[in-house]
Amino acid sequence: MSESSPDHRQDEDVMVAGYAQLPQSTGAGVMWRHLTIIVRVDPTTHRVVDASTTLATRIADEFVHQLLIGRDLTADQADLIGALEQRYFGNGRKAIIGACRDLTERYLEVVDSRQR
């Protein structure tokens, strides 16, 4: 499920992924060593229009998805990290926060390279 404005053009969206190492005490950590969070971003608003993770359970993936949708990756990193710290209490929280920071940094690199 994605969120977009009426004038949003999907053919201009950008895909960005963030990565972090998972603790072995998580379900996803047993299956994979790293967490991936991938987002589709509207480059005109910098807002996340869709998101997915490699978290092991549907409910955790959906929870992170809902926190990411609509966020401006150029301005909302602190709010996103705060929301994760206050609302996500699984063993993978540090990895999720790390992957969100990584994808935000990668997106800012994309924005910077497109402005040159």
Side-chain angles (χ1 to χ4, degrees), residues 13-99:
D13 288 352
V14 175
M15 295 284 281
V16 182
Y19 306 93
Q21 188 167 347
L22 283 162
Q24 290 298 306
S25 60
T26 65
V30 171
M31 295 188 300
W32 304 284
R33 291 184 53 207
H34 293 90
L35 168 67
T36 302
I37 298 177
I38 190 161
V39 294
R40 195 174 84 223
V41 182
D42 178 343
T44 60
T45 65
H46 309 294
R47 296 200 177 276
V48 175
V49 294
D50 205 358
S52 184
T53 75
T54 56
L55 290 166
T57 62
R58 176 193 52 79
I59 195 165
D61 178 66
E62 288 177 359
F63 187 82
V64 174
H65 174 270
Q66 290 171 352
L67 285 175
L68 285 165
I69 296 298
R71 298 251 181 208
D72 179 336
L73 292 184
T74 63
D76 292 346
Q77 183 183 30
D79 289 342
L80 173 60
I81 302 308
L84 285 163
E85 290 174 342
Q86 293 175 358
R87 299 180 57 202
Y88 191 96
F89 295 97
N91 288 343
R93 178 167 66 177
K94 283 175 120 176
I96 294 167
I97 290 169

